[in-house]
Amino acid sequence: MEPMHILLVEDVLSERLYLELRLKNLGHVVKAFSSGQDALNSYASFDPDLVLLDICMPDMQGTELAQKIRACFPEWVPIIFLSAHSEPELIAEAIDKGGDDYLTKPVNSMVLSAKIKAMQRISVMRRQLKQTSIQLQQANELLSQQVNEDGLTTLANRRYLDQKLSELVSLHGRNGLPLTIIMLDVDHFKPFNDHYGHIEGDNTLKLLAYQLKGKFSRAGEICARYGGEEFVILLSNCNSQQAVKECERLKEAITSLAIKHEYSDTAKILTVSQGAISWIPTGLESIENLYQEVDKLLYQAKAKGRNQYIAADYLNQPVDQSEN
Ligand SMILES: Nc1nc2c(ncn2[C@@H]2O[C@H](COP(=O)(O)OP(=O)(O)OP(=O)(O)O)[C@@H](O)[C@H]2O)c(=O)[nH]1
């Protein structure tokens, strides 16, 4: 079994040296202190697996030190009290104050070895439990990330988008702030896949996602893969005039990638069409209806020749549109 880190606190020099020697002979790493305060100061850096505490000490009683250890360091480590007395009341009080076991001084070497062996088993289990908890926590973090993430692009997925849109509708409704939804769709992506291959198509979607994430990464901006070659961007506190600028910025960002698309009827490079709606929510809007409205504008942008956007106030007239 692995050696333990044992913190020993004993004010009587002869006892301290004797115990330190015995414990080191059993193969453990020992840090011995004569004062409770010094032991407390070194506790975190030494990170003990076991604490041996004399009950009666001049600067701080062992029971008081045990209480402080339990209060300051929530991770449980066994504490064994040492005392010349063995009255049942004293033992009961020591256990009440946070101790786990009790040894009467002078400590018998066989009893000491046996108790240390028992504590070592607990220490091994404790370390395994700690390791398992860390692994479990990591797995949980990964899982919650995967639940909200699109596998191909690592953007937020549809599930997360729906949830965020509902939250933002309520939040903006409560605060009377404008919200914008931009929906974009890659133009002529079928011929792109057909000619350059599906893997190249996947890589292109990843590149587009990376570009979107880079351009819309401020607090209150959410980029998500809506499905297939469609993406959605939510812009907090963004009205229709600002939305037009954001659509333009997005168009420029995609154009700047200059991804070759010789089979597009629109341009020699890959382009996208966009629809955008902006409004001050009441907080009661249905998200399905919002997607439908913004999809209608996207469809109009497609119908008008693609590589352009149509932005409108929700339930109102178009604000602006771009031609390719
Ligand atoms: N490589 C790849 N292709 C995808 C993915 N999801 C959807 N697609 C492809 O996207 C294409 C969408 O085709 P259409 O809906 O006909 O649209 P389009 O060719 O882009 O034409 P317009 O949208 O009208 O400009 C299909 O070929 C799908 O297979 C994906 O994850 N990876």
Side-chain angles (χ1 to χ4, degrees):
M1 270 196 276
E2 291 255 310
M4 287 191 291
H5 274 200
I6 302 178
L7 188 79
L8 169 65
V9 195
E10 167 63 79
D11 64 313
V12 181
L13 180 66
S14 56
E15 291 279 356
R16 191 168 68 246
L17 291 177
Y18 164 74
L19 283 169
E20 188 175 358
L21 190 66
R22 293 250 10 123
L23 295 167
K24 280 185 174 166
N25 283 344
L26 290 171
H28 301 294
V29 180
V30 184
K31 216 163 198 185
F33 295 92
S34 59
S35 123
Q37 191 54 54
D38 290 348
L40 202 57
N41 294 342
S42 298
Y43 190 96
S45 59
F46 185 54
D47 192 20
D49 299 301
L50 171 64
V51 178
L52 286 182
L53 272 188
D54 184 18
I55 286 199
C56 299
M57 290 186 293
D59 75 323
M60 192 190 288
Q61 288 292 311
T63 45
E64 188 189 344
L65 178 56
Q67 280 180 313
K68 286 191 173 163
I69 288 174
R70 293 292 184 233
C72 300
F73 306 100
E75 196 181 313
W76 178 81
V77 168
I79 295 176
I80 300 182
F81 281 116
L82 308 164
S83 175
H85 309 281
S86 60
E87 292 85 355
E89 295 76 18
L90 204 68
I91 297 177
E93 191 202 343
I95 302 292
D96 270 354
K97 295 273 167 69
D100 299 291
D101 206 345
Y102 195 91
L103 275 171
T104 316
K105 292 196 287 188
V107 179
N108 175 286
S109 61
M110 268 180 75
V111 175
L112 179 70
S113 311
K115 294 228 171 180
I116 295 296
K117 209 178 272 175
M119 289 299 157
Q120 205 167 4
R121 278 188 220 126
I122 296 176
S123 167
V124 169
M125 281 192 285
R126 202 172 65 83
R127 269 193 225 138
Q128 284 170 347
L129 194 66
K130 197 171 162 184
Q131 192 56 33
T132 310
S133 305
I134 293 170
Q135 285 168 347
L136 200 65
Q137 195 181 342
Q138 286 169 342
N140 275 339
E141 278 165 16
L142 188 67
L143 204 65
S144 54
Q145 189 187 335
Q146 284 171 344
V147 163
N148 293 326
E149 198 176 89
D150 170 57
L152 179 72
T153 61
T154 76
L155 286 183
N157 61 17
R158 176 67 188 274
R159 185 187 162 281
Y160 186 78
L161 174 70
D162 290 356
Q163 187 188 319
K164 279 290 150 193
L165 180 55
S166 290
E167 284 172 20
L168 289 179
V169 164
S170 304
L171 185 76
H172 284 68
R174 272 201 306 278
N175 295 292
L177 293 170
L179 178 64
T180 288
I181 306 174
I182 300 176
M183 186 179 275
L184 63 124
D185 181 288
V186 181
D187 297 327
H188 308 294
F189 200 51
K190 189 175 180 320
F192 187 93
N193 267 326
D194 291 347
H195 288 94
Y196 299 111
H198 209 267
I199 291 174
E200 195 51 35
D202 280 357
N203 289 337
T204 301
L205 291 179
K206 284 194 226 174
L207 183 61
L208 289 178
Y210 184 77
Q211 182 77 334
L212 293 180
K213 212 191 261 187
K215 294 288 171 192
F216 297 93
S217 59
R218 281 174 294 183
E221 296 181 341
I222 290 159
C223 292
R225 187 173 182 204
Y226 184 73
E229 53 359 327
E230 278 185 293
F231 299 90
V232 163
I233 297 161
L234 305 179
L235 299 170
S236 295
N237 197 13
C238 175
N239 63 25
S240 47
Q241 277 76 34
Q242 289 160 325
V244 170
K245 289 185 194 146
E246 299 297 352
C247 289
E248 190 60 44
R249 196 161 74 87
L250 199 155
K251 186 178 171 186
E252 282 165 16
I254 304 296
T255 306
S256 73
L257 289 174
I259 301 165
K260 199 165 81 171
H261 189 353
E262 290 167 295
Y263 307 94
S264 164
D265 291 341
T266 304
K268 290 271 173 271
I269 57 169
L270 193 102
T271 57
V272 300
S273 299
Q274 308 172 57
I277 53 170
S278 308
W279 84 113
I280 297 176
T282 61
L284 300 171
E285 291 83 349
S286 99
I287 59 167
E288 286 74 21
N289 189 248
L290 294 172
Y291 290 139
Q292 265 174 24
E293 289 302 313
V294 73
D295 191 42
K296 272 186 212 161
L297 298 178
L298 168 62
Y299 184 79
Q300 286 173 25
K302 288 267 179 195
K304 287 189 75 191
R306 297 173 176 79
N307 190 24
Q308 56 193 285
Y309 53 83
I310 297 185
D313 275 320
Y314 177 43
L315 303 177
N316 266 313
Q317 295 308 306
V319 176
D320 204 354
Q321 52 195 54
S322 72
E323 304 288 326
N324 61 8

Coordinates of all heavy atoms in Angstrom, one line a residue, residues 211-253:
Q211 N -16.3 30.9 -38.4 CA -16.3 32.3 -38.8 C -17.5 33.0 -38.0 O -17.3 34.1 -37.5 CB -16.5 32.4 -40.3 CG -16.5 33.8 -40.8 CD -15.2 34.5 -40.9 OE1 -14.3 34.1 -40.2 NE2 -15.0 35.4 -41.8
L212 N -18.6 32.4 -37.9 CA -19.8 32.9 -37.2 C -19.4 33.1 -35.8 O -19.7 34.2 -35.2 CB -21.0 32.1 -37.4 CG -21.6 31.9 -38.8 CD1 -22.8 31.0 -38.7 CD2 -22.0 33.3 -39.3
K213 N -18.8 32.1 -35.2 CA -18.5 32.1 -33.8 C -17.5 33.3 -33.5 O -17.7 34.0 -32.5 CB -17.9 30.8 -33.4 CG -18.2 30.4 -31.9 CD -17.3 29.2 -31.5 CE -18.0 27.9 -31.6 NZ -17.3 26.8 -31.0
G214 N -16.6 33.4 -34.4 CA -15.6 34.5 -34.2 C -16.2 35.9 -34.3 O -15.8 36.8 -33.6
K215 N -17.2 36.0 -35.2 CA -17.8 37.3 -35.4 C -18.9 37.7 -34.5 O -19.2 38.9 -34.3 CB -18.4 37.4 -36.9 CG -17.3 37.3 -38.0 CD -16.5 38.6 -38.1 CE -15.3 38.4 -39.0 NZ -14.3 39.5 -38.9
F216 N -19.5 36.7 -33.9 CA -20.6 37.0 -32.9 C -20.4 36.3 -31.6 O -20.9 35.2 -31.3 CB -22.0 36.5 -33.5 CG -22.3 37.2 -34.8 CD1 -22.0 36.7 -36.0 CD2 -23.0 38.4 -34.7 CE1 -22.3 37.4 -37.2 CE2 -23.4 39.1 -35.9 CZ -23.0 38.6 -37.1
S217 N -19.4 36.8 -30.9 CA -19.0 36.1 -29.7 C -19.1 37.0 -28.4 O -18.7 36.6 -27.3 CB -17.5 35.7 -29.8 OG -16.7 36.9 -30.0
R218 N -19.8 38.2 -28.6 CA -20.0 39.0 -27.4 C -21.1 38.5 -26.5 O -21.9 37.7 -27.0 CB -20.3 40.5 -27.9 CG -19.1 41.2 -28.3 CD -19.4 42.6 -28.9 NE -20.2 42.5 -30.1 CZ -20.6 43.5 -30.8 NH1 -20.3 44.7 -30.5 NH2 -21.3 43.3 -31.9
A219 N -21.1 39.0 -25.3 CA -22.1 38.5 -24.4 C -23.5 38.9 -25.0 O -23.6 40.0 -25.5 CB -22.0 39.3 -23.0
G220 N -24.4 38.0 -24.9 CA -25.8 38.2 -25.4 C -25.9 37.9 -26.9 O -26.9 38.1 -27.5
E221 N -24.8 37.3 -27.5 CA -24.9 36.9 -28.9 C -24.7 35.3 -28.9 O -23.8 34.8 -28.3 CB -23.7 37.5 -29.7 CG -23.8 39.0 -29.8 CD -22.7 39.6 -30.6 OE1 -21.7 39.0 -30.8 OE2 -22.9 40.8 -31.0
I222 N -25.7 34.7 -29.6 CA -25.6 33.2 -29.6 C -25.7 32.7 -31.0 O -26.6 33.1 -31.8 CB -26.8 32.6 -28.8 CG1 -26.5 32.9 -27.3 CG2 -27.0 31.1 -29.0 CD1 -27.8 32.9 -26.5
C223 N -24.7 31.9 -31.4 CA -24.7 31.3 -32.8 C -25.1 29.8 -32.6 O -24.5 29.2 -31.8 CB -23.3 31.3 -33.4 SG -22.7 32.9 -33.7
A224 N -25.9 29.4 -33.5 CA -26.3 28.0 -33.4 C -26.5 27.4 -34.7 O -26.8 28.1 -35.7 CB -27.6 27.9 -32.6
R225 N -26.4 26.1 -34.8 CA -26.7 25.4 -36.1 C -28.2 25.0 -35.9 O -28.6 24.2 -35.0 CB -25.9 24.1 -36.2 CG -26.1 23.5 -37.6 CD -25.1 22.4 -37.8 NE -25.2 21.7 -39.1 CZ -24.9 20.5 -39.3 NH1 -24.3 19.8 -38.4 NH2 -25.0 20.0 -40.5
Y226 N -29.0 25.5 -36.8 CA -30.4 25.3 -36.8 C -30.8 23.9 -37.3 O -31.7 23.3 -36.9 CB -31.1 26.4 -37.6 CG -32.6 26.4 -37.6 CD1 -33.3 26.8 -36.5 CD2 -33.3 26.0 -38.7 CE1 -34.7 26.8 -36.4 CE2 -34.7 26.0 -38.7 CZ -35.4 26.4 -37.6 OH -36.8 26.4 -37.6
G227 N -30.0 23.5 -38.3 CA -30.2 22.2 -38.9 C -29.5 22.2 -40.3 O -29.5 23.3 -40.9
G228 N -29.0 21.1 -40.8 CA -28.4 21.0 -42.1 C -27.4 22.2 -42.4 O -26.5 22.3 -41.6
E229 N -27.7 23.0 -43.4 CA -26.8 24.1 -43.8 C -27.5 25.4 -43.4 O -27.2 26.4 -44.0 CB -26.3 24.0 -45.2 CG -27.2 23.9 -46.4 CD -28.7 23.8 -46.4 OE1 -29.3 23.2 -45.5 OE2 -29.3 24.3 -47.3
E230 N -28.3 25.4 -42.3 CA -28.9 26.6 -41.8 C -28.4 26.9 -40.4 O -28.3 26.0 -39.6 CB -30.4 26.4 -41.7 CG -31.2 26.6 -43.0 CD -32.7 26.5 -42.9 OE1 -33.1 25.3 -42.6 OE2 -33.3 27.5 -43.0
F231 N -28.2 28.2 -40.2 CA -27.7 28.7 -38.9 C -28.6 29.8 -38.4 O -29.2 30.5 -39.2 CB -26.2 29.2 -39.0 CG -25.3 28.2 -39.5 CD1 -25.0 28.0 -40.9 CD2 -24.6 27.3 -38.6 CE1 -24.1 27.0 -41.3 CE2 -23.7 26.4 -39.0 CZ -23.4 26.2 -40.4
V232 N -28.6 30.0 -37.1 CA -29.3 31.1 -36.5 C -28.4 31.8 -35.5 O -27.6 31.3 -34.8 CB -30.6 30.5 -35.7 CG1 -31.1 31.6 -34.8 CG2 -31.7 30.1 -36.7
I233 N -28.6 33.2 -35.6 CA -27.8 34.0 -34.6 C -28.9 34.8 -33.8 O -29.8 35.5 -34.4 CB -26.9 34.9 -35.4 CG1 -25.8 34.1 -36.1 CG2 -26.1 35.9 -34.4 CD1 -25.1 34.8 -37.2
L234 N -28.7 34.8 -32.5 CA -29.6 35.6 -31.7 C -28.8 36.8 -31.2 O -27.6 36.7 -30.7 CB -30.1 34.8 -30.4 CG -30.8 33.5 -30.7 CD1 -31.2 32.8 -29.4 CD2 -32.0 33.7 -31.6
L235 N -29.3 38.0 -31.3 CA -28.6 39.2 -30.9 C -29.4 40.0 -29.9 O -30.5 40.5 -30.2 CB -28.3 40.1 -32.1 CG -27.5 39.5 -33.2 CD1 -27.5 40.3 -34.5 CD2 -26.1 39.3 -32.8
S236 N -28.9 40.0 -28.7 CA -29.6 40.7 -27.6 C -29.5 42.2 -27.8 O -28.5 42.7 -28.3 CB -28.9 40.3 -26.2 OG -29.1 39.0 -26.0
N237 N -30.5 42.9 -27.3 CA -30.6 44.3 -27.3 C -30.2 44.9 -28.7 O -29.3 45.8 -28.8 CB -29.7 44.9 -26.2 CG -30.0 46.3 -25.9 OD1 -31.0 46.8 -26.3 ND2 -29.1 47.0 -25.2
C238 N -30.8 44.3 -29.7 CA -30.4 44.7 -31.1 C -31.7 45.1 -31.8 O -32.6 44.2 -32.0 CB -29.7 43.6 -31.8 SG -29.3 43.9 -33.5
N239 N -31.8 46.3 -32.3 CA -33.1 46.7 -33.0 C -32.9 46.5 -34.5 O -31.8 46.1 -34.9 CB -33.5 48.2 -32.6 CG -32.4 49.2 -33.1 OD1 -31.6 48.9 -34.0 ND2 -32.4 50.3 -32.4
S240 N -33.9 46.8 -35.3 CA -33.9 46.5 -36.7 C -32.8 47.3 -37.5 O -32.2 46.8 -38.4 CB -35.2 46.7 -37.3 OG -35.8 48.0 -36.9
Q241 N -32.5 48.5 -37.0 CA -31.4 49.3 -37.7 C -30.1 48.6 -37.5 O -29.3 48.4 -38.4 CB -31.4 50.7 -37.2 CG -32.4 51.7 -37.8 CD -33.8 51.5 -37.3 OE1 -33.9 51.2 -36.1 NE2 -34.8 51.6 -38.1
Q242 N -29.9 48.2 -36.2 CA -28.6 47.5 -35.9 C -28.5 46.2 -36.6 O -27.5 45.7 -37.1 CB -28.4 47.4 -34.4 CG -28.2 48.7 -33.7 CD -28.5 48.6 -32.2 OE1 -29.4 47.9 -31.8 NE2 -27.7 49.2 -31.4
A243 N -29.7 45.5 -36.7 CA -29.8 44.2 -37.3 C -29.3 44.2 -38.8 O -28.6 43.3 -39.2 CB -31.2 43.6 -37.3
V244 N -29.7 45.3 -39.5 CA -29.2 45.5 -40.9 C -27.7 45.5 -41.0 O -27.1 44.9 -41.8 CB -29.8 46.8 -41.5 CG1 -29.2 47.1 -42.8 CG2 -31.3 46.6 -41.6
K245 N -27.1 46.3 -40.0 CA -25.6 46.3 -40.0 C -25.0 45.0 -39.7 O -24.0 44.6 -40.3 CB -25.2 47.3 -38.9 CG -25.5 48.8 -39.3 CD -24.9 49.7 -38.2 CE -25.5 51.1 -38.4 NZ -25.7 51.8 -37.2
E246 N -25.7 44.2 -38.8 CA -25.1 42.9 -38.5 C -25.3 41.9 -39.6 O -24.4 41.1 -39.9 CB -25.9 42.3 -37.2 CG -25.8 43.1 -36.0 CD -24.3 43.2 -35.4 OE1 -23.4 42.6 -35.9 OE2 -24.1 44.0 -34.5
C247 N -26.4 42.0 -40.4 CA -26.5 41.2 -41.6 C -25.4 41.5 -42.6 O -24.9 40.6 -43.2 CB -27.9 41.4 -42.2 SG -29.3 40.7 -41.3
E248 N -25.2 42.8 -42.7 CA -24.1 43.2 -43.7 C -22.8 42.7 -43.2 O -22.0 42.2 -44.1 CB -24.1 44.8 -43.7 CG -23.3 45.4 -44.8 CD -23.7 45.0 -46.3 OE1 -25.0 45.0 -46.5 OE2 -22.9 44.6 -47.1
R249 N -22.5 42.8 -42.0 CA -21.2 42.3 -41.4 C -21.1 40.8 -41.6 O -20.0 40.3 -42.0 CB -21.2 42.6 -39.9 CG -19.9 42.6 -39.2 CD -19.9 43.3 -37.9 NE -20.6 42.6 -36.8 CZ -20.1 41.7 -36.0 NH1 -18.8 41.4 -36.2 NH2 -20.8 41.1 -35.1
L250 N -22.2 40.1 -41.5 CA -22.2 38.7 -41.6 C -21.9 38.3 -43.1 O -21.1 37.5 -43.4 CB -23.5 38.1 -41.2 CG -23.6 36.7 -40.9 CD1 -24.8 36.4 -39.9 CD2 -23.8 35.8 -42.1
K251 N -22.6 39.1 -44.0 CA -22.4 38.8 -45.4 C -20.9 39.0 -45.8 O -20.3 38.2 -46.5 CB -23.3 39.8 -46.2 CG -23.3 39.6 -47.7 CD -24.3 40.6 -48.4 CE -24.1 40.5 -49.9 NZ -24.9 41.5 -50.6
E252 N -20.3 40.1 -45.3 CA -18.9 40.4 -45.6 C -18.0 39.3 -45.0 O -17.0 38.9 -45.6 CB -18.5 41.8 -45.0 CG -19.0 42.9 -45.8 CD -18.9 44.3 -45.0 OE1 -18.3 44.3 -44.0 OE2 -19.6 45.2 -45.5
A253 N -18.4 38.8 -43.8 CA -17.5 37.8 -43.2 C -17.5 36.5 -44.0 O -16.4 35.9 -44.2 CB -18.0 37.5 -41.8

